[in-house]
Amino acid sequence: MKAKKILQFLSNSLAGLFLTAGFFILFASIFATGLLDNLDVLESSMQEQFGLDFILEQMAKESQLTKQQIIDLCMKNPSQEGCSQINNPEMFSSQAIGEIEKQINPYKSLIEKFKPLMILFFILSLVFYFLGTFSIYASIFKISINTLISSCLGYVAFASLPGLLPNVIDQAVSMVSSDLPLELSANFKESLAIIIGDWLEIPIAELKTLFVYLIISSLVCSVAFYLLKKKQNKGKNK
């Protein structure tokens, strides 16, 4: 009897680990795919935040010239240092997006490779839950409860992400931009927070919608299968 309880505990523990791992891969792949599919949003936001006005403003502060003086100077001498950015303000964002695509392209195939593993984890979780309970109703009840908890935690985590961005960016930029003027660093951090926030907006919204559906469906299933499990146990006790 003691050995049976230990085996049931191990089975339930493994089932919980497999289910959690499966959900982690699911949520991470949806989020990563959303980021990859919204690179155009990132580029558009970068062009807006780091556009001509931003470039002119920073150059004006460094050179003590007015924006119009800088524009006139670059029109007379386009080959002068910094004028290429003014004449082609989209160049920075295009180069940045190109570099980002170059870095993340290898991960696209990796996401696809993880999908079979995710399905395997979900199947194994069902198998081990069944081995730990010997009841399909009890197994689905446990899966529903685990799904409910994972979805609630996932919703809170991703919903909190935009609010954490400013502090994360502040620390990251401070580490790599100690040589930047204080005013430039502050403007850069503010613009960077807006850009990343715009890029994350759609993937986070999609995940939050998924979490809401999972919370509702898992809540309904947990109640339904708890009642079925209870009814099944009563039938066995008669």
Side-chain angles (χ1 to χ4, degrees):
M1 183 64 70
K2 193 174 182 180
K4 184 180 177 181
K5 287 185 177 180
I6 293 173
L7 288 173
Q8 285 179 329
F9 172 78
L10 290 174
S11 294
N12 287 326
S13 299
L14 284 172
L17 287 173
F18 281 128
L19 191 62
T20 301
F23 275 125
F24 177 80
I25 295 174
L26 174 64
F27 300 152
S29 63
I30 291 174
F31 184 64
T33 301
L35 292 177
L36 295 173
D37 290 343
N38 284 278
L39 285 175
D40 56 332
V41 175
L42 177 63
E43 183 174 9
S44 176
S45 186
M46 287 180 70
Q47 289 175 355
E48 183 178 344
Q49 295 299 320
F50 296 143
L52 180 59
D53 191 62
F54 178 86
I55 296 169
L56 285 171
E57 186 178 339
Q58 303 312 317
M59 291 183 70
K61 288 174 183 175
E62 293 175 8
S63 64
Q64 303 299 317
L65 299 173
T66 65
K67 294 181 182 180
Q68 190 57 49
Q69 286 175 326
I70 294 172
I71 293 173
D72 293 340
L73 189 63
C74 286
M75 288 181 68
K76 292 177 183 177
N77 188 9
S79 61
Q80 189 163 327
E81 184 181 357
C83 288
S84 59
Q85 288 181 301
I86 293 173
N87 295 328
N88 186 15
E90 293 84 10
M91 180 178 64
F92 171 74
S93 57
S94 298
Q95 289 177 343
I97 292 298
E99 185 61 29
I100 290 172
E101 284 185 316
K102 183 180 176 182
Q103 294 296 325
I104 64 178
N105 271 335
Y107 294 99
K108 289 182 179 180
S109 58
L110 191 64
I111 292 172
E112 293 298 320
K113 289 178 182 178
F114 270 114
K115 287 182 179 179
L117 183 63
M118 175 188 69
I119 296 170
L120 177 63
F121 281 161
F122 284 138
I123 293 173
L124 286 174
S125 69
L126 178 59
V127 170
F128 277 103
Y129 269 135
F130 182 77
L131 291 175
T133 59
F134 293 104
S135 167
I136 191 65
Y137 293 152
S139 301
I140 298 178
F141 169 73
K142 286 180 177 290
I143 288 173
S144 300
I145 291 295
N146 196 313
T147 302
L148 179 63
I149 294 171
S150 298
S151 299
C152 288
L153 292 175
Y155 186 94
V156 171
F158 280 95
S160 304
L161 191 57
L164 299 174
L165 269 179
N167 289 333
V168 174
I169 291 172
D170 184 63
Q171 293 183 16
V173 173
S174 297
M175 289 172 61
V176 300
S177 62
S178 55
D179 296 332
L180 288 176
L182 184 62
E183 190 174 1
L184 174 59
S185 179
N187 291 340
F188 179 75
K189 286 186 281 190
E190 184 180 346
S191 297
L192 192 59
I194 293 171
I195 290 168
I196 297 177
D198 290 342
W199 190 27
L200 295 178
E201 185 177 356
I202 294 176
I204 288 177
E206 290 175 347
L207 268 178
K208 284 169 68 177
T209 301
L210 174 64
F211 289 138
V212 169
Y213 283 131
L214 286 175
I215 289 169
I216 294 171
S217 59
S218 60
L219 187 60
V220 172
C221 286
S222 62
V223 172
F225 282 97
Y226 173 78
L227 294 174
L228 288 170
K229 178 174 71 82
K230 194 173 180 181
K231 185 178 179 181
Q232 185 183 54
N233 291 336
K234 282 184 179 179
K236 288 180 180 178
N237 293 330
K238 285 182 180 181

